[in-house]
Amino acid sequence: LIPYVKARVLTQVRAIWLIILYLIFFQKFVLGISIADASVIAGGMVLVVIGLTLFMEGLLLGLMPLGEIVGVKLPQRSGLLTVLGFALVLGFLATLAEPSIQVLQTAGESVRPWEAPLLFSLLNSYAPWLVYSVGAGVGIAVCLGMIRFYYSLSLKPFIYVLVGALCAFTVWASLDPNLRHIVGLAWDCGAVTTGPVTVPLVLALGIGISRMFASSDSGATGFGVVTLASLVPVLAVFVLSLFLLGIAPRPMSE
């Protein structure tokens, strides 16, 4: 076991040592600030390496093989509607499990309600709605990916339509005093969904399902679901913002 563990630990050390040295160098020689509690920070870095090693091992041994097996076997035993229903629920639940999605609620505490009433409401009073809408967006994105694999469709039309719609929404929202504060949140929501839980699971599922319908067995066509899972949640947040726009007050002075 020692060579096995050593190889995987060294892989994570090589992944993070450069950023650690950069931060130390910048703090010491550019900012001129001494490193306080260096032993605690060093211990935290060790825990990061251990955590990444265990996480990657669990990912490669458990989560991704499970998702790929389900992707291969599900179309053999179920119809398209069952596959889409499974994909919708999987995308929704995977988003709820993302650690980064919880950061949105913490970030809402720093928003001043009189400056951005709609943004404050989304991150505080309607925070569950925001999380659920992002989860629904990921679920719909996974469904679109399954439809693409099922009918051997190109990814380009999906990207053109989604990016075009999002650009139009962004320009239009920037002209509204309440919606302009939502633009950054909406695009950030597309990023937080592509985290350590959603990406491997959705990617493995896509590769597995694509092997059932692609002309080759390589699974090379199983990519692109993560792109959709980054774009559709942005659209979902815009739609939720439009729904709440009528009940939110306009920005005002303190």
Side-chain angles (χ1 to χ4, degrees):
L1 288 177
I2 292 178
Y4 183 87
V5 173
K6 180 181 177 181
R8 280 146 182 80
V9 171
L10 289 178
T11 299
Q12 302 309 321
V13 171
R14 287 193 293 267
I16 68 171
W17 72 271
L18 189 59
I19 184 64
I20 294 174
L21 291 181
Y22 172 73
L23 291 174
I24 294 175
F25 174 83
F26 195 86
Q27 182 169 334
K28 288 285 293 182
F29 299 101
V30 178
L31 300 180
I33 303 174
S34 60
I35 300 178
D37 299 324
S39 60
V40 177
I41 295 177
M45 296 301 177
V46 173
L47 292 177
V48 168
V49 172
I50 295 175
L52 284 174
T53 303
L54 294 174
F55 173 76
M56 290 302 299
E57 195 68 9
L59 195 67
L60 296 176
L61 293 178
L63 199 59
M64 291 192 70
L66 179 62
E68 190 169 345
I69 291 172
V70 171
V72 171
K73 297 297 183 181
L74 185 61
Q76 295 177 355
R77 305 186 179 186
S78 305
L80 178 60
L81 291 179
T82 303
V83 173
L84 294 181
F86 172 80
L88 180 65
V89 175
L90 177 69
F92 181 80
L93 295 179
T95 304
L96 297 185
E98 281 292 347
S100 52
I101 202 72
Q102 305 301 324
V103 178
L104 295 175
Q105 299 181 6
T106 304
E109 300 174 357
S110 62
V111 178
R112 296 177 178 178
W114 57 88
E115 292 182 352
L118 181 57
L119 178 62
F120 181 84
S121 298
L122 271 177
L123 292 176
N124 291 275
S125 303
Y126 297 98
W129 291 29
L130 178 63
V131 174
Y132 296 152
S133 66
V134 172
V138 175
I140 294 172
V142 179
C143 288
L144 292 176
M146 300 305 104
I147 293 174
R148 186 174 78 87
F149 300 144
Y150 195 87
Y151 293 105
S152 300
L153 302 176
S154 173
L155 181 64
K156 293 180 181 179
F158 292 92
I159 295 179
Y160 293 154
V161 172
L162 285 172
V163 172
L166 291 176
C167 289
F169 264 109
T170 299
V171 173
W172 178 68
S174 300
L175 302 177
D176 186 276
N178 231 339
L179 287 175
R180 68 167 59 121
H181 301 289
I182 302 297
V183 173
L185 173 67
W187 285 97
D188 283 344
C189 286
V192 299
T193 58
T194 53
V197 177
T198 306
V199 170
L201 191 57
V202 169
L203 196 59
L205 179 68
I207 292 174
I209 287 187
S210 68
R211 284 178 175 168
M212 292 301 304
F213 301 108
S215 57
S216 64
D217 294 332
S218 63
T221 58
F223 298 92
V225 188
V226 178
T227 301
L228 298 177
S230 301
L231 295 175
V232 180
V234 182
L235 187 61
V237 174
F238 276 130
V239 172
L240 177 63
S241 303
L242 291 176
F243 179 74
L244 297 176
L245 182 61
I247 61 177
R250 309 296 287 178
M252 61 190 72
S253 64
E254 183 178 2

